[in-house]
Amino acid sequence: MSQRSTITSPYAPDFAELRAWLEQMAKALKFVEMIAAVIALVTRMQGINAELTKQVSGLRRKRPRSETLERLERQLLLPFLKIVKTPARRPDNDQDGTGKKPDKPSRKGKHPGRAGFPAHLERIVVVNSLTAEQRVCPLCGCDMKTLGHSMCELLDVIPAKVVVLQRLDERAACRNDDTIVSAKIPAEIVERGKLATTLIVEATADKYLEHAPIERQCLRFERCGVDVAPQTLGRSVAAHIDMLMPIAAAIHVQTRAEGLLGTDATGLPVLDRDVPDGIRTGTIWCWTNARWISFFYSAVGDSDSVRRFLGPDLARTVQCDGTSITTFIERAGGKRPGCWSHGRRGFVDAARAGDTLALEALRLIRPLFEVERKSQLEGDNAQQRKARRAAQSAPALAALRAWLDQQKAIIPPTSTLGRALGYLHRQWPRLVLFLDDGNIELTNNRRERELRKLVLGKKNWLFVGHDLGGARTAAILTIVATCVSHDVNPRAYLHLVTKLILDGWPQKKLRDLLPDRIAVSHPEVLVKSKETASSAPAATATPPPD
């Protein structure tokens, strides 16, 4: 092994040195050692090349690359390997193989036509009248009478405008004495501030729903002729989130309740003058339990941050990836179901690097996802899903395990394929837990999808100013994500709940402000689906102005 590691560097090989070493080994008739050392060198260089190819492709790609098996097979398609059998394409004028071009099918009577607009939207009538010249009959010259109107509908928007609210606080005095009474000043998000409640709520929604940074929103106000300092708007949004903190904490309680938990984490840049680069990386955890979603910020993404969220009850079933941070859950008596997307991704990387053997693993894994897709399409409950998995997924896992044991013994563990095999081998007990419980998902993709919204926002507003900013970000994302999960319009929810809190909503009824109950008490904040919108009564048309 010492000779193999000293032939030459796999990163910058010295070919003169390599040639001299080969001649020396050939003269000594040490062919076995020479072949083994050359194979080890080539294998190491292949792994390095695959990693560099992955990095270069990651820098060049403009959108996420598809990981479907069909696309991977087409990327590796070589005529002489015959990896995939693709049907020969006939000429455009011979689609049916008879040498004749078939008749083009007609779309008449098949296309449903243009879909109508939702019935709940307000209709504003705009009359397109004839001109005076058009009303004169070209034959006899008399005035023509209106027969009716042909109607067409166009979707339009009324742009928002910035206004100044002048609140007149009434004062009254008694005529008999000097008693003076003033109207009670309504509560505001920022007391004695210059920004009204609606503007602050819209700014909060724009930042965390539309990912518009505070500075960009101030530029929009500037184009309207209003100077709003980013510091003023930023502090107002922070005060708004502080007001909503109890709601986020109540959602955390619901997320920690009984049920299947799932989690994943991502980094959050935080400004810090005490570190050399002036910025460090905090951690935001995403937790899900049924329709409840919580984001939890921690300055350090260690196991203590997970313990702080879970509380004293650690013997839970928590689905996550293969990180070692959450292994204490298993030591406490809980379970950690794995993620088959992570188990599959290593083979995707190996296939993209040119290893055709990785395609065999992807073909063996594909039935697991097909079973889950059928279960979802047929609306299986937990018991039905468990039975389906036992009948269809278990045999696929047995075949995959046999292939894994066979290949792991012959594939170098440092290669791209070897690392994928190693991950699957180490995580196997966790990856098969989904067979025991129909509530356990096959992948951890739901948490990754929730975190994707945060990642998109980070690309726009770049960082938070301090750890408190990270906690505020986690709190507002908790509220917004839970609203979306409960089919509640998050923007309308923020306006409604903010008004209720400012009007003096009692703390003991905080549970009634969560999205599930607001959806019942205030159905107007629900997101209207196409079916609901089409069945809703039509809005009254606004008559045209005189």
Side-chain angles (χ1 to χ4, degrees):
M1 295 297 294
S2 60
Q3 288 181 339
R4 296 181 186 179
S5 61
T6 57
I7 298 177
T8 185
S9 171
Y11 295 94
D14 188 342
F15 293 104
E17 180 185 359
L18 178 60
R19 179 184 295 273
W21 185 86
L22 292 174
E23 293 175 353
Q24 179 183 355
M25 297 296 289
K27 291 179 181 179
L29 302 180
K30 296 182 178 181
F31 297 107
V32 176
E33 293 83 348
M34 181 175 64
I35 294 174
V38 171
I39 291 176
L41 176 63
V42 172
T43 302
R44 178 60 179 150
M45 294 178 69
Q46 181 186 16
I48 295 173
N49 184 63
E51 185 66 26
L52 293 175
T53 302
K54 177 183 176 181
Q55 295 178 10
V56 171
S57 62
L59 293 174
R60 290 180 177 176
R61 64 188 175 99
K62 298 181 180 180
R63 58 182 179 180
R65 299 176 62 182
S66 174
E67 295 185 359
T68 61
L69 178 60
E70 291 76 10
R71 287 189 177 273
L72 292 171
E73 288 175 334
R74 287 199 296 269
Q75 290 170 8
L76 295 179
L77 183 61
L78 297 176
F80 58 87
L81 289 179
K82 296 183 179 180
I83 299 175
V84 184
K85 294 181 179 179
T86 56
R89 182 179 178 183
R90 297 190 181 97
D92 293 338
N93 58 356
D94 187 15
Q95 297 296 328
D96 56 358
T98 60
K100 298 180 180 180
K101 185 175 181 179
D103 296 334
K104 184 177 181 180
S106 175
R107 295 178 60 186
K108 186 177 181 180
K110 295 183 180 181
H111 195 274
R114 181 183 296 178
F117 297 120
H120 68 277
L121 293 179
E122 179 186 1
R123 264 63 177 177
I124 298 178
V125 178
V126 178
V127 179
N128 182 22
S129 303
L130 294 170
T131 62
E133 293 78 6
Q134 290 176 319
R135 285 186 176 275
V136 177
C137 178
L139 299 180
C140 64
C142 66
D143 290 339
M144 295 185 290
K145 296 182 178 180
T146 301
L147 296 178
H149 297 83
S150 59
M151 185 186 68
C152 70
E153 290 188 335
L154 302 174
L155 189 64
D156 204 351
V157 62
I158 299 177
K161 61 179 180 179
V162 182
V163 298
V164 177
L165 298 181
Q166 292 184 339
R167 190 185 70 228
L168 303 179
D169 300 327
E170 183 181 3
R171 291 181 296 174
C174 179
R175 68 180 61 184
N176 298 321
D177 49 43
D178 296 334
T179 302
I180 298 177
V181 178
S182 300
K184 183 179 179 181
I185 298 177
E188 297 287 346
I189 296 177
V190 180
E191 294 185 5
R192 304 179 65 85
K194 62 181 294 185
L195 303 182
T197 298
T198 301
L199 187 147
I200 298 175
V201 175
E202 283 293 309
T204 304
D206 285 344
K207 180 174 181 180
Y208 295 101
L209 286 176
E210 316 302 338
H211 314 294
I214 295 296
E215 291 79 3
R216 193 180 302 168
Q217 297 186 46
C218 292
L219 289 176
R220 184 177 59 193
F221 288 124
E222 185 178 347
R223 287 191 291 268
C224 296
V226 182
D227 184 16
V228 178
Q231 296 84 354
T232 302
L233 185 58
R235 284 195 291 266
S236 300
V237 170
H240 182 215
I241 298 176
D242 289 341
M243 178 190 300
L244 302 175
M245 281 284 195
I247 296 180
I251 294 177
H252 287 180
V253 174
Q254 299 299 319
T255 307
R256 283 192 294 264
E258 294 295 327
L260 173 66
L261 286 172
T263 187
D264 203 352
T266 187
L268 182 67
V270 182
L271 295 183
D272 191 346
R273 296 180 179 179
D274 298 331
V275 298
D277 295 334
I279 192 168
R280 56 182 169 84
T281 302
T283 302
I284 282 192
W285 292 88
C286 175
W287 294 84
T288 64
N289 186 349
R291 302 185 75 175
W292 299 99
I293 303 172
S294 292
F295 288 83
F296 183 77
Y297 173 78
S298 176
V300 181
D302 54 5
S303 59
D304 289 338
S305 62
V306 180
R307 294 175 187 269
R308 288 199 303 273
F309 180 83
L310 290 177
D313 186 12
L314 301 180
R316 302 288 301 272
T317 299
V318 180
Q319 186 160 21
C320 55
D321 53 24
T323 178
S324 60
I325 295 176
T326 54
T327 53
F328 69 90
I329 295 176
E330 295 171 318
R331 294 194 295 269
K335 297 180 180 180
R336 274 186 51 196
C339 172
W340 273 99
S341 288
H342 283 79
R344 182 182 182 274
R345 195 160 296 151
F347 297 103
V348 172
D349 295 337
R352 285 175 177 164
D355 197 329
T356 57
L357 187 59
L359 294 177
E360 185 63 26
L362 296 176
R363 296 190 186 99
L364 292 172
I365 295 175
R366 178 165 59 178
L368 302 179
F369 289 86
E370 292 178 348
V371 171
E372 298 302 310
R373 189 178 298 109
K374 292 179 182 178
S375 175
Q376 182 180 7
L377 291 176
E378 297 184 12
D380 290 349
N381 56 31
Q383 294 298 328
Q384 293 171 335
R385 191 178 301 110
K386 180 180 178 181
R388 183 188 294 270
R389 288 171 175 175
Q392 302 178 19
S393 298
L397 285 172
L400 177 61
R401 180 68 194 195
W403 181 87
L404 172 63
D405 294 337
Q406 177 184 4
Q407 301 301 326
K408 193 175 184 300
I410 59 177
I411 299 298
T414 57
S415 63
T416 305
L417 180 59
R419 289 194 294 269
L421 292 170
Y423 179 89
L424 207 62
H425 179 77
R426 293 189 304 272
Q427 298 294 324
W428 189 265
R430 298 164 179 165
L431 290 171
V432 298
L433 286 176
F434 76 100
L435 294 176
D436 302 331
D437 188 351
N439 292 311
I440 298 176
E441 301 176 24
L442 186 68
T443 68
N444 203 37
N445 289 351
R446 181 188 177 190
R447 269 63 62 182
E448 293 191 357
R449 287 193 297 268
E450 295 296 338
L451 286 173
R452 191 176 301 166
K453 305 170 186 176
L454 170 62
V455 174
L456 181 59
K458 287 192 302 183
K459 291 182 178 180
N460 288 272
W461 38 261
L462 302 179
F463 53 81
V464 295
H466 36 66
D467 289 330
L468 180 57
R472 286 168 175 159
T473 299
I476 190 63
L477 290 177
T478 296
I479 298 172
V480 167
T482 302
C483 284
V484 174
S485 179
H486 284 83
D487 299 325
V488 172
N489 185 339
R491 190 181 294 267
Y493 174 86
L494 290 177
H495 280 284
L496 173 63
V497 171
T498 301
K499 181 179 183 303
L500 293 176
I501 294 176
L502 291 176
D503 290 344
W505 188 268
Q507 181 69 22
K508 62 181 180 180
K509 293 185 178 181
L510 181 64
R511 178 66 181 86
D512 294 334
L513 290 182
L514 298 193
D516 59 333
R517 295 193 179 179
I518 285 291
V520 177
S521 60
H522 296 80
E524 67 273 9
V525 302
L526 288 172
V527 176
K528 295 180 174 60
S529 61
K530 293 182 179 180
E531 293 78 7
T532 305
S534 61
S535 61
T540 304
T542 301
D546 296 334

